Every structure is written in structure tokens, then in C-alpha cells.
Amino acid sequence: MTNQLLNSSTLQSLRFVFVMLIVMSHIPLPGLPLFDAGGDCGVTFFFMLSGFALTLRYGPQIDSGSFCLRQYYWRRLIKIYPLHLLCLAAWLIASHSPIDSRVIANLLLVQSWIPDSHYYFWCNAPSWFLSTLLFSYAVFPWACRHASMRWLLALLACGAAIYAATPSHDVTSILYVNPLVRFVDFALGMALAKSLTRRPTTTVAPWAEYIVVAALIAALLVYPITDAKLRNAPLFWIVLLPLIGIFACSKGPLSRLLGHPWLQSLGRLSLPIFMTHLFVIPMILTRLPLPPQLNIPLAILTTILVSWAIDRWLLSPIVRLSEKR
């Protein structure tokens, strides 16, 4: 199956769906525990989708020898660093924090390599994701060129050994944040993309969309009773792999709904939403004396509007300028 036959518009809209799961995991709802399942599921989705999307985009270039390593790295940095620097500057201004080793680690996006929450969750906490993703970006060209089923199985075996050996009190620093471990998520997305593009055609029944959505809901429901080591990612691998694959190929009713231009536009804002929501939402929830049924939607809407403004007046112009180089 050629890349042109895959449903990229649906996957774009799914970015918004899953970033909202992450956002909701950080919003306290009266009388309810935090929706931690949404955060773990959303983060796993974005690691897997990144591997999937990069393989679709650059895999043919790598195979044909037309891949430009310098251009690839430049585009990856332009994608994440301007937004990261903006959020870091906003955090420093708002917190009046001194410039110390934690801030330097965050600036350089190396904080996820330091197994200490005072480092990897310091400054704008969501930036740990960029630190971890940057490693996957860095090794992607090599991994895409050499990836095979044997390579993937060896990687999964190493991941299983690390999961088994990790003490329960180190789950976050080792299994959730560590770039080497989260590369497994990224590699699974790569393997899925390679599998789909090797097939001449892939026909997906419309009912398959409902099956994978039901499976996703089931995974979110069983999350609270799942072992902490498994729910960081493995619980969602078995659901998200078929979900990404099916929605990449399907033309069913849910795919048509996700193909709406408004949802695609919201999907393009997923990274700004992710990076700014821990600024905007607490500010709205703590400073406006409104009932939760008004305050929470207002906080989410404000986050979307702030993200739209950042994309419109900062990120998109920078990307356009970078493409002229």
C-alpha cells in the first residue's frame, strides 16, 4: 500500500482526541480521582504515532538513498525547539526561578536522562516528552534503515527484561520517562508503518473502527487495576497498534467524522496544547470563581485558543521560513 492511500487526515484528528485525554488527566473533577489512564494512554499514542508517521514520510527516501540527514534533523528541531523555548521562558518569568542545573538540563532537553523527578518534571513539566522524543528522532534514520522483525523482537525482549527488573518505586523514572525504554513505543509505530506499506492493499471493514474504540475504552477502564509496570505502555500497545493501523486505512463512518476540517485543524494544535495546558488550565481553575461545569470547559477552550495563537503567529511562520533554507 502506498503512503498516499493511507488516511492521514484521520490520524491528524486523532492527535486532538489523544491530547485531550492527556489534558483531562490533569484536571481535577469534583468527587473523582485524577484520570491518570488518559495521560499514560495519550503519551504512548504520541510516541507510537511519531514512529509511524516518520516511517511513512521518510522510509521511502531512506530506502531509495534520497534521504537528507541534515534537512531531517533541522526539521525535527524546528518542530519542537521554538515552542519549547517559549514555554520555558514563560515558566521562568512566572516562577521567578533561578537558573540552575535543572533549568540548563531542561533548556538542552536532556532532563529525561536524569532519573530524578526534580529534573525531568522541572520547569514546564510536559517538556520531558520532548526530551524523550528527541532521542527517538535522533536514532530514527539508523533504525529505519536497519529495522527488521528480528531487530524488533530483540528490542521487545530487552524492554521486557527492563520492565521485569524495574522496582515499583522507579516506574516513572525508568519506564515512563526514560528515552531508551520509550523508544520501544516509537519502534512499534515504525514496524506498523513498514507492515502496512508492504501490503498491496488493505481493506478494513467499517465495524472494525468500533471494535478498536471499544477496546480502547476497555483498556482505560481496566487501567486502575493493572500493575503499574504494565499500564505505562504495554497495556495500551495491544490497543493502539490496531487502532492506528485501522484508522490509517479505514474509510468508515468514524474515519469520515474524524476527517472533518475542524478536527484536523485541532489535531495540528496538539503539540502546543500539550505544552501549554499546565500553564493555562491551573490559572483559569484557580483564579476564576466559577462552578466546575463552567470553569473546566472555559479552561480547555482558553488552552485551545492560546495554542492556536502560538501556532498562528510563532510556529507556522518559523516553519515557513525554515522551509526556504
Side-chain angles (χ1 to χ4, degrees), residues 4-325:
Q4 289 76 17
L5 296 178
L6 295 176
N7 198 348
S8 59
S9 62
T10 299
L11 298 179
Q12 183 76 291
S13 298
L14 282 175
R15 293 178 186 270
F16 177 70
V17 174
F18 281 89
V19 81
M20 290 311 300
L21 289 180
I22 296 173
V23 169
M24 293 306 298
S25 74
H26 294 134
I27 296 179
L29 299 176
L32 295 174
L34 285 175
F35 182 46
D36 290 335
D40 284 353
C41 178
V43 165
T44 303
F45 170 82
F46 281 106
F47 280 124
M48 295 176 72
L49 186 65
S50 294
F52 183 83
L54 286 182
T55 303
L56 291 182
R57 179 172 182 178
Y58 293 108
Q61 297 178 25
I62 291 173
D63 293 340
S64 66
S66 61
F67 177 73
C68 178
L69 187 65
R70 179 180 176 182
Q71 184 183 67
Y72 163 79
Y73 282 135
W74 173 252
R75 287 181 174 176
R76 295 307 99 202
L77 290 175
I78 285 296
K79 177 181 174 64
I80 63 176
Y81 241 102
L83 179 60
H84 169 56
L85 293 176
L86 174 67
C87 292
L88 177 59
W91 182 88
L92 288 170
I93 293 170
S95 67
H96 306 288
S97 176
I99 305 297
D100 57 16
S101 61
R102 296 174 297 178
V103 174
I104 298 301
N106 190 280
L107 172 65
L108 300 176
L109 287 178
V110 296
Q111 69 270 35
S112 291
W113 294 96
I114 305 171
D116 182 344
S117 61
H118 293 96
Y119 276 84
Y120 55 74
F121 286 158
W122 192 243
C123 302
N124 183 34
S127 63
W128 75 265
F129 174 82
L130 301 184
S131 174
T132 302
L133 184 62
L134 198 60
F135 170 74
S136 292
Y137 282 169
V139 302
F140 165 76
W142 177 89
C144 190
R145 183 174 290 110
H146 297 285
S148 64
M149 181 56 68
R150 182 179 298 177
W151 176 87
L152 180 63
L153 292 175
L155 188 64
L156 288 172
C158 291
I162 294 172
Y163 271 84
T166 299
S168 57
H169 59 273
D170 286 332
V171 165
T172 301
S173 61
I174 296 178
L175 302 184
Y176 186 71
V177 170
N178 187 274
L180 294 172
V181 177
R182 294 318 296 244
F183 180 70
V184 177
D185 306 23
F186 188 91
L188 286 170
M190 291 175 56
L192 176 63
K194 284 180 173 289
S195 174
L196 290 180
T197 54
R198 285 169 183 158
R199 301 185 180 200
T201 58
T202 301
T203 303
V204 177
W207 52 261
E209 297 180 346
Y210 298 102
I211 295 295
V212 292
V213 171
L216 175 63
I217 294 171
L220 293 170
L221 291 175
V222 303
Y223 174 93
I225 60 173
T226 303
D227 183 88
K229 293 183 182 182
L230 298 178
R231 65 192 186 191
N232 271 313
L235 170 65
F236 297 111
W237 291 344
I238 57 177
V239 174
L240 294 176
L241 271 176
L243 184 143
I244 293 172
I246 285 172
F247 278 105
C249 303
S250 179
K251 307 295 182 183
L254 294 183
S255 291
R256 290 195 294 271
L257 175 63
L258 290 169
H260 193 282
W262 283 13
L263 280 175
Q264 292 182 54
S265 297
L266 290 170
R268 284 190 287 271
L269 299 178
S270 59
L271 186 57
I273 290 172
F274 175 73
M275 289 294 291
T276 61
H277 77 281
L278 287 184
F279 282 116
V280 180
I281 289 176
M283 181 177 62
I284 299 294
L285 296 183
T286 57
R287 297 188 181 184
L288 293 184
L290 297 173
Q293 58 267 33
L294 295 178
N295 230 0
I296 291 174
L298 178 61
I300 294 173
L301 178 60
T302 304
T303 302
I304 293 173
L305 291 175
V306 168
S307 300
W308 174 82
I310 291 172
D311 180 74
R312 176 72 180 272
W313 288 303
L314 175 68
L315 303 182
S316 292
I318 288 175
V319 169
R320 286 195 295 269
L321 286 174
S322 70
E323 290 176 348
K324 294 178 180 179
R325 289 179 80 251

